[in-house]
Short mmCIF file of all heavy atoms in Angstrom, two decimals:
data_model
loop_
_atom_site.label_atom_id
_atom_site.label_comp_id
_atom_site.label_asym_id
_atom_site.label_seq_id
_atom_site.Cartn_x
_atom_site.Cartn_y
_atom_site.Cartn_z
N LEU A 44 0.82 -1.19 0.00
CA LEU A 44 -0.03 -0.08 -0.05
C LEU A 44 0.87 1.25 -0.02
O LEU A 44 0.59 2.25 -0.72
CB LEU A 44 -0.92 0.00 1.13
CG LEU A 44 -2.21 -0.90 1.10
CD1 LEU A 44 -2.97 -0.94 2.46
CD2 LEU A 44 -3.07 -0.37 -0.05
N LEU A 45 1.91 1.28 0.80
CA LEU A 45 2.78 2.41 0.86
C LEU A 45 3.48 2.66 -0.53
O LEU A 45 3.52 3.74 -0.95
CB LEU A 45 3.79 2.26 1.96
CG LEU A 45 3.38 2.50 3.40
CD1 LEU A 45 4.43 2.21 4.36
CD2 LEU A 45 2.87 3.85 3.59
N LEU A 46 3.85 1.57 -1.06
CA LEU A 46 4.57 1.60 -2.47
C LEU A 46 3.55 2.10 -3.42
O LEU A 46 3.80 2.90 -4.38
CB LEU A 46 5.07 0.19 -2.82
CG LEU A 46 5.78 0.08 -4.17
CD1 LEU A 46 7.02 0.93 -4.17
CD2 LEU A 46 6.17 -1.37 -4.41
N LEU A 47 2.25 1.65 -3.40
CA LEU A 47 1.34 2.04 -4.34
C LEU A 47 0.92 3.51 -4.20
O LEU A 47 0.91 4.17 -5.28
CB LEU A 47 -0.07 1.33 -4.03
CG LEU A 47 -1.27 1.63 -4.98
CD1 LEU A 47 -0.95 1.23 -6.43
CD2 LEU A 47 -2.47 0.88 -4.50
N PHE A 48 0.87 4.07 -3.02
CA PHE A 48 0.72 5.51 -2.80
C PHE A 48 1.87 6.38 -3.24
O PHE A 48 1.69 7.50 -3.58
CB PHE A 48 0.22 5.81 -1.42
CG PHE A 48 -1.18 5.34 -1.10
CD1 PHE A 48 -1.50 4.58 -0.09
CD2 PHE A 48 -2.18 5.89 -1.81
CE1 PHE A 48 -2.78 4.12 0.13
CE2 PHE A 48 -3.57 5.53 -1.59
CZ PHE A 48 -3.83 4.58 -0.54
N SER A 49 3.08 5.82 -3.08
CA SER A 49 4.22 6.56 -3.47
C SER A 49 4.44 6.57 -4.90
O SER A 49 5.09 7.41 -5.45
CB SER A 49 5.48 6.10 -2.75
OG SER A 49 5.70 4.76 -3.19
N VAL A 50 3.88 5.70 -5.76
CA VAL A 50 4.10 5.60 -7.11
C VAL A 50 3.00 6.42 -7.86
O VAL A 50 3.17 6.94 -8.91
CB VAL A 50 4.04 4.16 -7.66
CG1 VAL A 50 4.09 3.98 -9.11
CG2 VAL A 50 5.24 3.45 -6.98
N ILE A 51 1.79 6.49 -7.33
CA ILE A 51 0.70 7.18 -8.03
C ILE A 51 0.96 8.64 -8.06
O ILE A 51 1.31 9.29 -7.01
CB ILE A 51 -0.69 6.97 -7.26
CG1 ILE A 51 -0.97 5.46 -7.37
CG2 ILE A 51 -1.71 7.74 -7.84
CD1 ILE A 51 -2.18 5.10 -6.67
N GLU A 52 0.95 9.25 -9.23
CA GLU A 52 1.05 10.61 -9.48
C GLU A 52 -0.26 11.37 -9.25
O GLU A 52 -1.22 11.02 -9.98
CB GLU A 52 1.64 10.85 -10.68
CG GLU A 52 2.13 12.39 -11.01
CD GLU A 52 2.81 12.58 -12.29
OE1 GLU A 52 3.29 11.62 -12.93
OE2 GLU A 52 2.75 13.72 -12.79
N ILE A 53 -0.30 12.30 -8.44
CA ILE A 53 -1.55 13.04 -8.18
C ILE A 53 -1.32 14.40 -8.78
O ILE A 53 -0.43 15.12 -8.44
CB ILE A 53 -1.85 13.22 -6.67
CG1 ILE A 53 -2.02 11.79 -6.03
CG2 ILE A 53 -3.04 14.00 -6.46
CD1 ILE A 53 -2.19 11.77 -4.61
N LYS A 54 -2.26 14.77 -9.65
CA LYS A 54 -2.19 16.10 -10.30
C LYS A 54 -3.42 16.85 -9.94
O LYS A 54 -4.51 16.33 -9.82
CB LYS A 54 -2.22 15.95 -11.84
CG LYS A 54 -0.89 15.31 -12.34
CD LYS A 54 -0.88 15.21 -13.86
CE LYS A 54 0.33 14.62 -14.32
NZ LYS A 54 0.47 14.66 -15.80
N ALA A 55 -3.32 18.15 -9.83
CA ALA A 55 -4.36 19.12 -9.57
C ALA A 55 -4.14 20.30 -10.44
O ALA A 55 -3.06 20.71 -10.60
CB ALA A 55 -4.51 19.37 -8.09
N GLN A 56 -5.25 20.88 -10.83
CA GLN A 56 -5.14 22.15 -11.61
C GLN A 56 -5.99 23.15 -10.85
O GLN A 56 -7.13 22.91 -10.51
CB GLN A 56 -5.75 21.86 -13.03
CG GLN A 56 -5.70 23.15 -13.88
CD GLN A 56 -6.18 22.82 -15.28
OE1 GLN A 56 -6.50 21.68 -15.60
NE2 GLN A 56 -6.29 23.82 -16.07
N GLU A 57 -5.39 24.31 -10.81
CA GLU A 57 -6.17 25.45 -10.12
C GLU A 57 -7.27 25.92 -11.03
O GLU A 57 -7.22 25.76 -12.25
CB GLU A 57 -5.24 26.57 -9.75
CG GLU A 57 -4.71 27.34 -10.90
CD GLU A 57 -3.72 28.44 -10.51
OE1 GLU A 57 -2.77 28.12 -9.73
OE2 GLU A 57 -4.01 29.58 -10.82
N ASN A 58 -8.29 26.48 -10.49
CA ASN A 58 -9.34 27.00 -11.32
C ASN A 58 -8.82 28.21 -12.06
O ASN A 58 -7.89 28.92 -11.74
CB ASN A 58 -10.49 27.58 -10.36
CG ASN A 58 -11.18 26.40 -9.73
OD1 ASN A 58 -11.35 25.29 -10.14
ND2 ASN A 58 -11.65 26.64 -8.51
N PRO A 59 -9.43 28.32 -13.31
CA PRO A 59 -8.93 29.39 -14.20
C PRO A 59 -9.33 30.75 -13.49
O PRO A 59 -10.21 30.75 -12.66
CB PRO A 59 -9.68 29.28 -15.43
CG PRO A 59 -10.84 28.38 -15.12
CD PRO A 59 -10.45 27.51 -13.98
N PRO A 60 -8.52 31.81 -13.75
CA PRO A 60 -8.92 33.05 -13.12
C PRO A 60 -10.26 33.57 -13.56
O PRO A 60 -10.77 33.31 -14.62
CB PRO A 60 -7.84 34.00 -13.71
CG PRO A 60 -7.27 33.35 -14.90
CD PRO A 60 -7.52 31.96 -14.65
N VAL A 61 -10.92 34.15 -12.58
CA VAL A 61 -12.31 34.70 -12.79
C VAL A 61 -12.12 35.91 -13.71
O VAL A 61 -11.35 36.76 -13.48
CB VAL A 61 -12.92 35.10 -11.48
CG1 VAL A 61 -14.35 35.69 -11.61
CG2 VAL A 61 -13.01 33.89 -10.52
N PRO A 62 -13.00 35.93 -14.71
CA PRO A 62 -12.79 37.12 -15.68
C PRO A 62 -13.26 38.32 -14.96
O PRO A 62 -14.24 38.26 -14.17
CB PRO A 62 -13.83 36.76 -16.86
CG PRO A 62 -14.72 35.66 -16.37
CD PRO A 62 -13.95 34.91 -15.23
N VAL A 63 -12.46 39.42 -15.16
CA VAL A 63 -12.81 40.71 -14.56
C VAL A 63 -13.71 41.50 -15.41
O VAL A 63 -13.45 41.84 -16.48
CB VAL A 63 -11.53 41.49 -14.24
CG1 VAL A 63 -11.85 42.82 -13.73
CG2 VAL A 63 -10.61 40.77 -13.45
N GLN A 64 -14.95 41.63 -14.92
CA GLN A 64 -16.06 42.47 -15.63
C GLN A 64 -16.47 43.53 -14.67
O GLN A 64 -16.70 43.20 -13.53
CB GLN A 64 -17.15 41.54 -16.10
CG GLN A 64 -16.73 40.61 -17.16
CD GLN A 64 -17.91 39.74 -17.51
OE1 GLN A 64 -18.89 39.62 -16.91
NE2 GLN A 64 -17.62 39.01 -18.62
N VAL A 65 -16.57 44.76 -15.13
CA VAL A 65 -17.01 45.84 -14.32
C VAL A 65 -18.24 46.47 -15.00
O VAL A 65 -18.21 46.67 -16.26
CB VAL A 65 -15.87 46.92 -14.15
CG1 VAL A 65 -16.38 48.08 -13.35
CG2 VAL A 65 -14.69 46.25 -13.45
N GLU A 66 -19.27 46.63 -14.26
CA GLU A 66 -20.42 47.36 -14.74
C GLU A 66 -20.70 48.58 -13.83
O GLU A 66 -20.64 48.39 -12.64
CB GLU A 66 -21.58 46.46 -14.75
CG GLU A 66 -22.85 47.04 -15.35
CD GLU A 66 -24.08 46.18 -15.34
OE1 GLU A 66 -23.91 44.92 -15.28
OE2 GLU A 66 -25.22 46.74 -15.48
N VAL A 67 -21.01 49.67 -14.47
CA VAL A 67 -21.27 50.98 -13.71
C VAL A 67 -22.65 51.37 -14.16
O VAL A 67 -22.87 51.57 -15.33
CB VAL A 67 -20.20 52.00 -13.92
CG1 VAL A 67 -20.47 53.23 -13.09
CG2 VAL A 67 -18.86 51.49 -13.55
N ARG A 68 -23.52 51.62 -13.05
CA ARG A 68 -24.78 52.22 -13.29
C ARG A 68 -24.92 53.46 -12.54
O ARG A 68 -24.54 53.60 -11.41
CB ARG A 68 -25.89 51.23 -12.82
CG ARG A 68 -25.94 49.93 -13.56
CD ARG A 68 -26.92 48.97 -13.08
NE ARG A 68 -26.70 47.66 -13.54
CZ ARG A 68 -27.35 46.56 -12.96
NH1 ARG A 68 -28.15 46.66 -11.88
NH2 ARG A 68 -27.08 45.39 -13.50
N THR A 69 -25.59 54.49 -13.13
CA THR A 69 -25.91 55.74 -12.54
C THR A 69 -27.16 55.57 -11.69
O THR A 69 -28.16 55.24 -12.23
CB THR A 69 -26.09 56.93 -13.58
OG1 THR A 69 -24.85 56.98 -14.37
CG2 THR A 69 -26.31 58.22 -12.80
#
């Protein structure tokens, strides 16, 4: 089990950046 966990490659990807949108109302 230790060998199995040490061999498995775990990958993670961060969420893409949130698009910046600005709206202005009078």
Side-chain angles (χ1 to χ4, degrees):
L44 284 175
L45 287 175
L46 182 63
L47 179 66
F48 285 121
S49 65
V50 174
I51 294 177
E52 183 177 342
I53 299 174
K54 293 184 178 182
Q56 180 178 352
E57 68 181 57
N58 291 330
V61 178
V63 177
Q64 295 178 346
V65 176
E66 181 182 343
V67 180
R68 298 179 192 163
T69 304

